[in-house]
Amino acid sequence: MMMLFVHILCAVLILYVSVEAYINVITNMDKRDDNSVLSSTKPKYVPTWSSLDSRPLPSWYDDAKFGIFIHWGVFSVPSFGSEWFWNHWKEETKTTKFHDFMKQRYPPNFTYQDFARDFTAEFFNASDWAELFNASGAKYIVLTSKHHEGYTMWPSTYSFSWNSMDVGPQKDLVGELAEAIRNKTDIRFGLYHSLFEWYNRLYVADKKNNFTTDRYVINKVMPELHELIETYKPDIVWSDGDGEASDTYWKSKEFLAWLYNDSPVKDTVVVNDRWGNNISCHHGGFFTCADRFNPGMLLPHKWENCMTIDKKSWGYRRNAVLAEYYTLAGLVKELIITVSCGGNLLMNVGPTKDGIIIPIYEERLRGMGTWLAVNGEAIYNTKPWIVQNDTLTGSVWYTINKNEKQLYASILEWPDDNILSLGSLKLSTNSQVYLLGYSSAIPWKQSNDKLEINLPSNAHRGQPAWVLKIEKKN
């Protein structure tokens, strides 16, 4: 009898467990179906430009307006000519200046790889850099993780013995700067990455085969990009070095579909337009079109003006002279015109091989920050107005707050008589005009053909530009 009871009890327990398991399965299936329904409402991007271009640009980028570009690498060691030193040295035919430079300073068998041991970054302090970039007023930075020389600024699995951990600083430079930027500032962290490498043997072989083979992309570019994104989670992927081959060769569309759908930064990341020949200025998150691109007019697509404080080079040059650096007024002018026309300004500095941002760069960055501390409301979180450049002066550029309650007129040239005449703006009688940084409203007079504003004579000295805030009343 007792044995019969035990058998019955075991049967009941088995049935109970089976029912519970069944209920759990059904419940989990319901949850899975609910998640599937939820996930199916989110757009899934496919590797076509029409699909990829339909992705909305994350709003933080348009709000940011101003970023810092950082060109740093082994090319910072010779610091002569430009960051293209290796290529110019190997390929020069019309002049001999790079060969002469090497002959006068280095032994006959010296190679470009030999420069890497002197890329020490011994004075590099990521916290100091973060403080400087924050003081500049920049809202994002873009560091060269790898330039065309192929040297990676992180310990890449796919760049053995040619990275910042194995040779040179013996540091993860990308990682150190990412940590400092994220821990000490609200700045967005971005990375530049060159698709091609001048003298990578796999790339050279693919190029020799007219890019009908893709060993370089499969074995180097794609795994390297995935490693970079998954390790450092940048909010910007600034691609370059694409122009010799098609986007099909680079597998750009496949990479971007993964980046937008499945990567750890799928919701925040922005990308540029350099993903294959004939792609720039046509496809991508924001357009760069060409280096130092500033059309001076409103464009229908979000764009970026990437430019250099050193007018002749992105990398540090030891032999640069003062006249070859932009003045603070020149940089503020670039920012004002760029933002008025719907763009962002990405302003470049080139650190030394030691990891120093030289004083003239520091002075320009801090000067930008000082100007933005007073006038930043005319830059950040704004949008272009119906007119960009005033019809009368040519030296006044407009932006408007996104709530459209404040209009800003940025003045590049102070009028000799302190009277500013504007032809693009008509004010009602109860409107108010303020000069940012000046305590009280300033007088103005509206006529049929122009608006005359009496600027305070004591407010113009020593400034690279000035901003009027105009509160229009209906």
Side-chain angles (χ1 to χ4, degrees):
M1 189 71 179
M2 181 63 68
M3 289 297 296
L4 178 61
F5 175 76
V6 170
H7 283 299
I8 293 172
L9 180 60
C10 288
V12 170
L13 288 173
I14 290 170
L15 178 61
Y16 174 78
V17 171
S18 299
V19 170
E20 282 293 301
Y22 176 75
I23 291 170
N24 287 335
V25 168
I26 295 300
T27 302
N28 289 332
M29 285 179 64
D30 289 343
K31 289 179 180 178
R32 183 193 63 197
D33 290 342
D34 288 344
N35 290 334
S36 297
V37 170
L38 290 172
S39 64
S40 68
T41 63
K42 297 180 181 179
K44 195 77 173 176
Y45 300 100
V46 297
T48 64
W49 284 120
S50 59
S51 175
L52 298 170
D53 289 344
S54 71
R55 177 182 183 258
L57 189 71
S59 60
W60 74 260
Y61 178 79
D62 182 52
D63 292 342
K65 306 300 185 189
F66 177 46
I68 302 298
F69 218 169
I70 309 153
H71 272 67
W72 197 30
V74 173
F75 52 80
S76 306
V77 177
S79 53
F80 177 79
S82 76
E83 70 289 347
W84 278 59
F85 179 90
W86 190 9
N87 181 261
H88 291 332
W89 175 28
K90 283 185 69 79
E91 311 293 337
E92 79 175 332
T93 55
K94 294 182 180 179
T95 71
T96 61
K97 72 175 187 177
F98 289 92
H99 281 85
D100 292 342
F101 175 87
M102 293 301 300
K103 185 177 180 179
Q104 293 164 8
R105 293 165 178 80
Y106 299 95
N109 296 322
F110 196 92
T111 68
Y112 187 80
Q113 285 75 8
D114 291 328
F115 281 124
R117 62 174 176 253
D118 292 326
F119 180 55
T120 61
E122 60 190 283
F123 297 126
F124 169 60
N125 185 305
S127 295
D128 289 348
W129 281 25
E131 183 278 325
L132 176 59
F133 298 146
N134 198 48
S136 77
K139 300 302 182 184
Y140 62 99
I141 68 161
V142 179
L143 171 69
T144 48
S145 68
K146 185 194 76 173
H147 201 258
H148 312 325
E149 64 192 11
Y151 181 90
T152 66
M153 303 285 276
W154 81 98
S156 175
T157 308
Y158 306 97
S159 190
F160 178 73
S161 80
W162 192 231
N163 66 71
S164 63
M165 186 64 77
D166 291 344
V167 58
Q170 298 184 328
K171 295 179 180 179
D172 178 358
L173 300 174
V174 172
E176 288 190 19
L177 187 56
E179 182 180 5
I181 289 292
R182 287 167 173 153
N183 288 345
K184 298 180 180 296
T185 76
D186 294 324
I187 295 171
R188 298 273 183 165
F189 182 74
L191 292 172
Y192 164 109
H193 176 270
S194 174
L195 293 174
F196 89 144
E197 297 173 16
W198 289 312
Y199 306 114
N200 184 295
R201 60 183 180 83
L202 293 178
Y203 180 72
V204 171
D206 284 351
K207 185 177 178 179
K208 187 176 181 180
N209 292 327
N210 295 316
F211 301 109
T212 57
T213 55
D214 56 6
R215 291 181 62 206
Y216 171 69
V217 176
I218 291 173
N219 293 288
K220 185 68 158 68
V221 178
M222 284 299 110
E224 185 175 78
L225 273 170
H226 280 258
E227 178 185 66
L228 198 61
I229 305 309
E230 289 166 355
T231 304
Y232 303 105
K233 302 175 179 58
D235 283 323
I236 305 160
V237 178
W238 213 102
S239 180
D240 195 20
D242 60 319
E244 293 185 342
S246 70
D247 58 314
T248 301
Y249 169 76
W250 292 119
K251 304 190 186 305
S252 299
K253 297 186 290 292
E254 292 78 5
F255 169 72
L256 291 174
W258 169 81
L259 188 68
Y260 293 169
N261 291 325
D262 302 312
S263 78
V265 289
K266 63 183 185 295
D267 296 324
T268 58
V269 71
V270 297
V271 304
N272 65 338
D273 55 350
R274 301 185 184 187
W275 297 103
N277 54 25
N278 300 318
I279 299 301
S280 182
C281 224
H282 293 92
H283 300 291
F286 60 88
F287 292 170
T288 60
C289 300
D291 292 350
R292 304 175 178 87
F293 178 69
N294 189 355
M297 58 185 289
L298 183 63
L299 297 183
H301 193 282
K302 184 64 187 182
W303 60 281
E304 183 179 79
N305 174 6
C306 59
M307 52 81 69
T308 56
I309 296 177
D310 176 348
K311 298 176 183 178
K312 293 189 173 184
S313 176
W314 299 84
Y316 170 66
R317 291 187 304 141
R318 287 181 284 168
N319 59 331
V321 299
L322 182 61
E324 293 168 343
Y325 291 98
Y326 269 96
T327 63
L328 177 59
L331 295 171
V332 170
K333 179 180 178 179
E334 284 286 318
L335 177 64
I336 286 170
I337 295 175
T338 296
V339 173
S340 293
C341 296
N344 279 18
L345 183 71
L346 184 61
M347 192 176 79
N348 180 76
V349 298
T352 69
K353 67 183 180 68
D354 314 294
I356 296 171
I357 296 175
I358 60 172
I360 194 165
Y361 285 138
E362 180 178 356
E363 189 272 343
R364 297 294 189 266
L365 294 182
R366 294 191 185 279
M368 292 291 285
T370 298
W371 187 84
L372 283 164
V374 175
N375 302 288
E377 65 179 275
I379 301 296
Y380 307 125
N381 304 304
T382 61
K383 63 181 182 178
W385 191 44
I386 55 173
V387 174
Q388 281 68 64
N389 189 209
D390 192 79
T391 54
L392 275 185
T393 69
S395 62
V396 173
W397 295 80
Y398 294 103
T399 54
I400 190 167
N401 191 284
K402 288 190 175 180
N403 64 19
E404 300 191 350
K405 293 182 178 179
Q406 289 85 32
L407 178 67
Y408 300 96
S410 295
I411 307 166
L412 299 179
E413 296 178 12
W414 191 275
D416 293 335
D417 59 1
N418 302 316
I419 298 175
L420 182 69
S421 297
L422 300 177
S424 302
L425 183 62
K426 286 191 175 182
L427 298 183
S428 58
T429 55
N430 58 345
S431 297
Q432 296 287 314
V433 178
Y434 301 89
L435 183 71
L436 295 184
Y438 191 75
S439 57
S440 57
I442 55 179
W444 55 272
K445 180 175 70 175
Q446 181 75 62
S447 62
N448 289 332
D449 60 345
K450 64 182 177 181
L451 172 68
E452 289 187 350
I453 300 173
N454 294 308
L455 300 174
S457 60
N458 61 343
H460 76 283
R461 294 179 181 86
Q463 297 300 311
W466 307 262
V467 176
L468 295 174
K469 179 166 72 171
I470 301 154
E471 296 184 348
K472 298 175 67 177
K473 308 294 182 180
N474 295 326

